[in-house]
């Protein structure tokens, strides 16, 4: 009963935070603008992205483990992973706000809708029913101990690609719990500085948002990113890696894209990608990984290309 009471309290809180909405016409709403932050940089980083060091190469014993302890040199492993931090900023005019809902706890997933803040009166939809845009993505409850909350599927994707743009390795990460995890340095007119405004109250909610933590029976959840804030995933988090085990020595792009299918409505899609060019060299001049990996491949970042899907060969 206490868990259901907590869910009910959360629903009331979200409704109170955002209030009723008159934002129905597309041309009268404030849209978010998602920007994929530089690959391997901590959330909110504003310096030279070439100096970012939130990445490593990790040899693990179990190639199927979502995470795994990095083995020391000389310890035999079966997989080598390039791990890196990813972040997405909202530098738009309005918050990114996603509601998930299902009819009963018997349904394994929730459908999703995107809500928009009104440019007329500043109101923000307070529920799934009031949200204006149906999103084809779904939400599911991740029971793994490191999560135990509801994940929005397909928010970001990352790949290892050849300089020609062909995908060599794709990510295995699927779900995201979005919230205001950090602030960006950009000068943004609609940053929610007034805590009493609808966007300010929503930002207060999103700063603490845990996406229905320990609530697999939830019927509705809310998640999103306020203007001037971002959501990041450290390189040590589950599935924050690309598997290098079958990749031959060479030059590649690590490409990270937010909202790659453009199902979330944004002010601009021009800044949804970021990439870094890397060189990969297996020990001893080998073309490929040995059956037992006792030393990680040497990975070197050649350059960082924020805002671009290609970095090793520009254009």
């Amino acid at each position: 009963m206490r868990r259901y009471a907590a869910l009910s309290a959360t629903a009331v809180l979200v409704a109170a935070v955002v209030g009723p909405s008159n934002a129905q016409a597309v041309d009268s709403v404030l849209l978010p603008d998602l920007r994929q932050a530089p690959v391997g940089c901590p959330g909110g980083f504003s310096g030279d992205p070439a100096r970012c060091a939130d990445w490593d190469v990790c040899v693990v014993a179990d190639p199927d483990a979502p995470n795994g302890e990095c083995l020391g040199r000389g310890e035999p492993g079966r997989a080598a992973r390039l791990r890196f931090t990813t972040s997405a900023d909202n530098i738009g005019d309005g918050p990114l706000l996603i509601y998930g809902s299902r009819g009963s706890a018997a349904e394994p997933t929730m459908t999703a809708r995107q809500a928009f803040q009104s440019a007329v009166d500043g109101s923000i939809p307070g529920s799934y029913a009031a949200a204006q845009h149906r999103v084809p993505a779904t939400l599911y409850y991740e029971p793994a101990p490191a999560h135990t909350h509801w994940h929005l599927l397909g928010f970001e994707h990352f790949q290892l690609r050849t300089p020609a743009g062909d995908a060599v390795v794709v990510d295995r990460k699927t779900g995201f719990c979005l919230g205001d995890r950090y602030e960006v340095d950009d000068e943004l007119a609609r940053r929610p500085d007034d805590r009493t405004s609808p966007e300010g109250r929503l930002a207060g909610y999103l700063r603490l948002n845990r996406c229905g933590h320990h609530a697999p029976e939830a019927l509705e959840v809310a998640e999103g990113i306020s203007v001037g804030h971002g959501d990041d995933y450290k390189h040590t988090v589950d599935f924050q890696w690309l598997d290098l085990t079958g990749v031959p020595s060479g030059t590649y792009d690590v490409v990270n894209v937010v909202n790659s299918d453009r199902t979330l409505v944004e002010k601009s899609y021009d800044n949804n990608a970021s990439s870094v060019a890397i060189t990969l060299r297996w020990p001893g001049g080998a073309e490929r990984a040995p059956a037992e990996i006792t030393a990680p491949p040497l990975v070197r970042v050649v350059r960082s290309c924020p805002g671009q899907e290609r970095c090793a060969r520009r254009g």
Side-chain angles (χ1 to χ4, degrees):
M1 290 298 292
R2 282 181 293 180
R3 295 176 93 185
Y4 282 101
L7 292 173
S8 177
T10 298
V12 171
L13 171 62
V14 173
V17 160
V18 297
S21 175
N22 297 320
Q24 299 299 326
V26 172
D27 59 355
S28 65
V29 297
L30 302 173
L31 295 179
D33 182 6
L34 297 172
R35 176 180 64 190
Q36 187 68 66
V39 177
C41 295
F45 183 81
S46 59
D48 180 0
R51 297 182 178 274
C52 289
D54 274 21
W55 64 273
D56 65 16
V57 181
C58 179
V59 176
V60 296
D62 183 359
D64 295 319
N67 212 316
E69 180 182 358
C70 296
L71 302 176
R73 184 174 292 271
E75 298 181 81
R78 294 181 56 206
R81 296 168 173 175
L82 177 64
R83 308 190 304 176
F84 48 92
T85 293
T86 61
S87 311
D89 312 325
N90 179 5
I91 57 170
D93 297 326
L96 173 72
L97 179 58
I98 306 296
Y99 287 104
S101 180
R102 57 180 176 166
S104 74
E107 300 175 25
T109 62
M110 296 184 183
T111 57
R113 287 183 181 175
Q114 182 180 359
F116 307 109
Q117 183 176 16
S118 171
V120 178
D121 61 11
S123 60
I124 303 173
S127 67
Y128 174 89
Q132 301 98 324
H133 175 61
R134 176 70 180 268
V135 179
T138 58
L139 295 92
Y140 80 102
Y141 185 81
E142 175 53 65
H147 301 279
T148 61
H149 55 201
W150 289 84
H151 278 176
L152 173 69
L153 292 172
F155 179 70
E156 287 181 81
H157 288 289
F158 37 90
Q159 297 180 345
L160 189 72
R161 299 179 186 173
T162 66
D166 299 321
V168 178
V169 180
V170 298
D171 66 271
R172 293 176 58 185
K173 189 177 180 72
T174 56
F176 300 81
C177 169
L178 305 179
D180 291 354
R181 314 304 180 195
Y182 59 86
E183 291 191 50
V184 299
D185 288 339
D186 304 66
E187 293 186 9
L188 301 169
R190 296 191 177 274
R191 187 187 295 270
D193 294 326
D194 179 1
R195 295 185 180 183
T196 65
S197 66
E199 63 271 22
R201 294 194 297 271
L202 175 62
Y205 174 79
L206 291 176
R207 276 194 296 273
L208 304 175
N209 185 37
R210 300 185 72 186
C211 305
H213 195 230
H214 291 316
E217 68 275 25
L219 300 183
E220 186 163 314
V221 296
E223 58 181 271
I225 307 173
S226 300
V227 174
H229 295 76
D231 184 85
D232 62 344
Y233 293 85
K234 310 297 185 187
H235 70 286
T236 53
V237 171
D238 290 358
F239 292 116
Q240 279 294 135
W241 45 264
L242 291 169
D243 187 355
L244 301 178
T245 311
V247 179
S249 295
T251 300
Y252 301 94
D253 282 334
V254 179
V255 186
N256 197 190
V257 185
V258 64
N259 192 23
S260 60
D261 56 6
R262 300 190 177 186
T263 55
L264 300 177
V265 180
E266 299 184 52
K267 181 179 177 180
S268 171
Y269 300 98
D270 294 340
N271 52 2
N272 285 33
S274 189
S275 60
V276 293
I278 65 167
T279 56
L280 167 68
R281 297 288 181 266
W282 289 100
E287 181 182 0
R288 293 184 175 274
E292 284 192 343
I293 304 172
T294 55
L298 175 63
V299 173
R300 184 172 68 89
V301 173
V302 178
R303 69 175 65 91
S304 180
C305 299
Q308 300 180 48
E309 287 199 40
R310 289 193 176 186
C311 197
R313 189 177 74 188
R314 305 187 188 205

